[in-house]
Amino acid sequence: MQSDSTHLLPNGKNRRLRFFSGIPVLFFLFFSGQGCVSYLYHLGKEQAKILLQRKAIPEVLADPEIPETTKTKLKEVEKIREFGIQELALSPEGGFKSFVQLDRPAIGWHVSACHPLKFESYTWWFPIAGTVPYKGYFSLEKAKEEEQSLKDQGFDTRIRITAGYSTLGWFEDPLFSSQLYEDPGDLASIVIHEMAHATVYFPGDTLFNESYASFVEDAGSDEYVFKIGGPKLLEERKKSEEETKLYKNIIIETANLLKAAYSEGSAEDIVRAKKIEIISNFRKKILQTKWTKINSKKLAERDWNNEDFIGMLRYNSGTSYFRKRFLEVGKDFSKFHDEMRKLKEKSAEERKALLEEK
């Protein structure tokens, strides 16, 4: 189950909505004095289960009980991982050397929230990961409880399915059964994105981290698809993604309109009215656009809020900046990652300014 509760697209088109689960076992004592015992117990228990249940991919491939379809996908993942290391200069600590068969349809669910009249995310702080605008759970019911608490405080909220998972190289992150996408390009996308997190990561800077990983995902998966299928397969993949790209661009366009409205400093009632107008126009645009794979009626009927729009920006900012830097180093991934690491000395606000450059 790859699609999430926010963007109603066909399977495999919402790979970028994910959360970082943290390293709960190592930091249990740290949180015990801060009212987080039950949450850390939940994460620690499930993380321990993941560590115990994972099996090395060669072991899974040798198991006669495993379906051939699963083995075929796991062999593809091995190729993608090696491609990521050798051709994309991604960290070998990025995982995907083992497999976990889940007893649920998704790795987990994460809750995000935003101020209703500002593009200001509600945030949590965790060791190593730093400040992040989402809180992950391995239980949908627990995620719903967290969301309701935030709603009661007046925030715009959303629960999303967790498509990817990374411990930033602290553990060997496995491939999960929910990530066994049919399309090799989709498999490449999820593996490359999570390996990118283990390659370059700035604690507390979700906007940069996710946007960087998304850029590497797009550029890297294109190269992988080209390698296995040549220009024809890559062209077919690009064509199949045209509708998704159009849909994403409409959301980003609306997000920028909302962002501009919130920055005007008008009275609250004026801002609220402007928000309603912008989202109403967004619904009309969705209905007026001709789609072949997207259910425009369901999208128009849903209760859109700030978290839906800021969530899209969170994973899709700075494309022009990343592309420019990538071209400057001659599309050399190793040099590109090195250039990104140099930004460590900058603050999150300074990196954000870079992503906003035209």
Side-chain angles (χ1 to χ4, degrees), residues 111-161:
V111 183
S112 299
C114 182
H115 190 288
L117 296 178
K118 300 177 188 176
F119 265 8
E120 183 180 289
S121 294
Y122 185 95
T123 60
W124 292 265
W125 183 87
F126 299 101
I128 305 300
T131 301
V132 293
Y134 34 59
K135 188 174 182 180
Y137 290 89
F138 292 103
S139 161
L140 179 56
E141 290 308 310
K142 290 183 181 296
K144 287 180 177 179
E145 290 174 9
E146 181 76 34
E147 182 190 36
Q148 189 57 55
S149 173
L150 291 164
K151 281 184 175 180
D152 291 343
Q153 296 175 59
F155 290 99
D156 282 1
T157 66
R158 189 63 64 201
I159 292 178
R160 298 184 177 96
I161 285 175

Side-chain angles (χ1 to χ4, degrees), residues 200 202 206-216 219 314-329 331 336 339-340 343 351 354-357:
V200 177
F202 301 128
T206 301
L207 179 67
F208 184 91
N209 293 332
E210 294 299 348
S211 296
Y212 155 79
S214 292
F215 177 82
V216 175
R314 194 176 292 141
Y315 288 86
N316 298 279
S317 294
T319 302
S320 296
Y321 169 76
F322 290 122
R323 185 183 296 113
K324 178 182 177 182
R325 299 310 305 274
F326 189 52
L327 292 174
E328 286 175 350
V329 296
K331 296 185 178 181
F336 175 70
E339 290 300 310
M340 295 302 102
L343 300 178
R351 288 191 290 266
L354 291 175
L355 300 188
E356 292 175 347
E357 289 180 0

Side-chain angles (χ1 to χ4, degrees), residues 197-326:
H197 280 317
T199 304
V200 177
Y201 185 90
F202 301 128
D205 195 349
T206 301
L207 179 67
F208 184 91
N209 293 332
E210 294 299 348
S211 296
Y212 155 79
S214 292
F215 177 82
V216 175
E217 169 193 334
D218 287 344
S221 60
D222 279 355
E223 291 209 10
Y224 183 75
V225 170
F226 184 85
K227 178 183 179 180
I228 64 173
K232 183 178 180 181
L233 183 61
L234 181 59
E235 183 181 349
E236 289 174 358
R237 179 170 172 78
K238 291 287 189 183
K239 188 174 182 180
S240 72
E241 291 184 337
E242 285 178 359
E243 191 164 290
T244 303
K245 185 177 180 180
L246 172 60
Y247 169 67
K248 182 179 74 174
N249 287 341
I250 293 174
I251 295 175
I252 292 174
E253 176 186 273
T254 304
N256 286 326
L257 290 173
L258 288 168
K259 187 177 180 180
Y262 298 147
S263 65
E264 291 175 358
S266 303
E268 185 174 304
D269 57 340
I270 295 175
V271 176
R272 194 179 301 278
K274 190 67 175 175
K275 174 185 179 181
I276 292 171
E277 178 187 358
I278 292 171
I279 293 179
S280 176
N281 289 337
F282 164 75
R283 287 194 174 97
K284 290 176 183 176
K285 193 163 189 176
I286 289 292
L287 286 172
Q288 291 168 356
T289 303
K290 292 183 179 180
W291 309 99
T292 59
K293 301 175 183 177
I294 292 175
N295 190 326
S296 59
K297 187 173 184 296
K298 278 190 177 181
L299 283 171
E301 290 175 348
R302 71 172 296 107
D303 180 24
W304 289 86
N305 64 51
N306 276 359
E307 177 51 40
D308 297 319
F309 296 101
I310 197 173
M312 181 62 78
L313 293 179
R314 194 176 292 141
Y315 288 86
N316 298 279
S317 294
T319 302
S320 296
Y321 169 76
F322 290 122
R323 185 183 296 113
K324 178 182 177 182
R325 299 310 305 274
F326 189 52

